Amino acid sequence: MDRIWTVVQKELTDALRNRMTMATILISSVLFILLPLGMAYGMGPNGLLQNLDSKPMDTSDLGPILQVYPQLRDLDPASQLQGFMLSGIQALFLIIPLMVPMVIAVYSVIGEKQNRSLEAVLATPIETSELLIAKCVAAATPGILSAWVSYAVFTVLVWPATRGPIFDLIIVRPSWILALLLVAPAAAFLAVVLGLIVSSRASDPQSAQQIAGVIVLPIVAVMIGQMAGVVQISVLFVLIGALVLLAIDAGLLTVAVKLFQRETILTRWK
């Protein structure tokens, strides 16, 4: 544990000194707060939908959506629409713990090689499994924390713009909070392990990031599914998803340890 903690401290220090890492954290956090916040205020009591409270609205097209979101069934049309849109766009906060760790993980190996510091790390007595676990923890932590902090800021700022019970039914509903607490860390570690695997086989950070970037696609698919009224993040959905991700994490970490051949990595990179 002492060796793992030492590497974690080193990796975190290096990551937080990297301008690209800090820029990714700040830009993604601000952007993913402003997008749903702008939607909430635009659809709030004083926004674009303010006249819907006094005018009839055809809600026949919302039938399939209300089957997926039964908690919105008894609300007025404007509140239903705001709740439905906010529920879908919330998935953006699950992308933060994917983007940030991916950037750190990709540069964790390739950056050390380019800075001529990887040789010193690989020459230490630390086991490969310990090294990769430490790199995973160090890379995932900033992304997980930034996602949690970003959503906490969003909940404070969005409260005045929500209609009726939308804040309780959508913004802080238990299934979504559980997703942030369980799925976000599991997804972050998945991105990190894939980033480490790709970076150990790639020759430059750009190509590694392009390959590792496909991990974002499942989250985008979930967001689109919610916007289409096909997917709802329920407690059962979150628990099953978290268990599946953890199992994949464990399997990929085993694969990463086997692929991370110290001598091979040092000799095959130019």
Side-chain angles (χ1 to χ4, degrees):
M1 290 300 298
D2 290 339
R3 291 183 293 190
I4 292 177
W5 177 240
T6 300
V7 176
V8 168
Q9 290 178 305
K10 171 189 173 298
E11 294 288 331
L12 280 175
T13 301
D14 293 342
L16 296 179
R17 287 177 178 174
N18 188 293
R19 292 183 179 180
M20 177 173 293
T21 300
M22 294 306 299
T24 302
I25 293 175
L26 293 176
I27 293 175
S28 61
S29 298
V30 172
L31 181 62
F32 290 160
I33 289 174
L34 292 180
L35 284 176
L37 197 63
M39 175 181 290
Y41 275 89
M43 305 178 73
N46 298 318
L48 299 175
L49 300 182
Q50 58 181 331
N51 295 327
L52 291 181
D53 295 325
S54 58
K55 293 182 179 181
M57 179 180 178
D58 182 11
T59 59
S60 58
D61 294 336
L62 295 180
I65 295 174
L66 294 179
Q67 292 181 2
V68 180
Y69 298 95
Q71 65 269 39
L72 304 177
R73 188 178 301 278
D74 297 329
L75 303 182
D76 61 273
S79 297
Q80 289 178 347
L81 189 56
Q82 186 192 49
F84 161 65
M85 296 300 292
L86 286 177
S87 180
I89 203 170
Q90 276 179 329
L92 286 175
F93 289 96
L94 292 179
I95 296 180
I96 297 177
L98 293 177
M99 292 178 56
V100 175
M102 194 182 303
V103 172
I104 299 175
V106 168
Y107 278 87
S108 178
V109 176
I110 297 179
E112 284 186 337
K113 175 58 181 178
Q114 292 178 338
N115 295 331
R116 314 299 297 178
S117 61
L118 183 61
E119 291 86 346
V121 174
L122 296 181
T124 62
I126 189 171
E127 298 289 337
T128 300
S129 58
E130 295 173 337
L131 176 63
L132 293 187
I133 290 174
K135 286 182 175 292
C136 286
V137 172
T141 300
I144 296 171
L145 292 180
S146 61
W148 289 349
V149 171
S150 297
Y151 197 75
V153 172
F154 169 72
T155 57
V156 173
L157 297 178
V158 79
W159 181 78
T162 53
R163 292 173 169 268
I166 292 299
F167 186 83
D168 294 327
L169 293 178
I170 299 298
I171 304 299
V172 293
R173 68 190 190 275
S175 59
W176 175 250
I177 300 301
L178 195 63
L180 283 177
L181 295 177
L182 298 181
V183 175
F189 278 100
L190 176 61
V192 170
V193 176
L194 285 177
L196 290 176
I197 292 175
V198 172
S199 61
S200 67
R201 317 302 290 183
S203 58
D204 62 271
Q206 289 74 25
S207 60
Q209 284 182 325
Q210 291 174 0
I211 298 173
V214 297
I215 191 60
V216 178
L217 296 180
I219 301 299
V220 175
V222 171
M223 183 174 66
I224 295 175
Q226 287 195 105
M227 299 289 285
V230 176
V231 177
Q232 181 188 20
I233 297 181
S234 63
V235 173
L236 181 60
F237 180 87
V238 169
L239 292 177
I240 293 176
L243 290 175
V244 170
L245 287 174
L246 289 175
I248 295 175
D249 291 344
L252 286 178
L253 183 59
T254 302
V255 173
V257 171
K258 293 182 179 180
L259 292 177
F260 198 91
Q261 301 295 329
R262 301 187 181 202
E263 297 79 5
T264 303
I265 291 175
L266 290 175
T267 58
R268 69 193 292 266
W269 282 356
K270 299 180 180 180

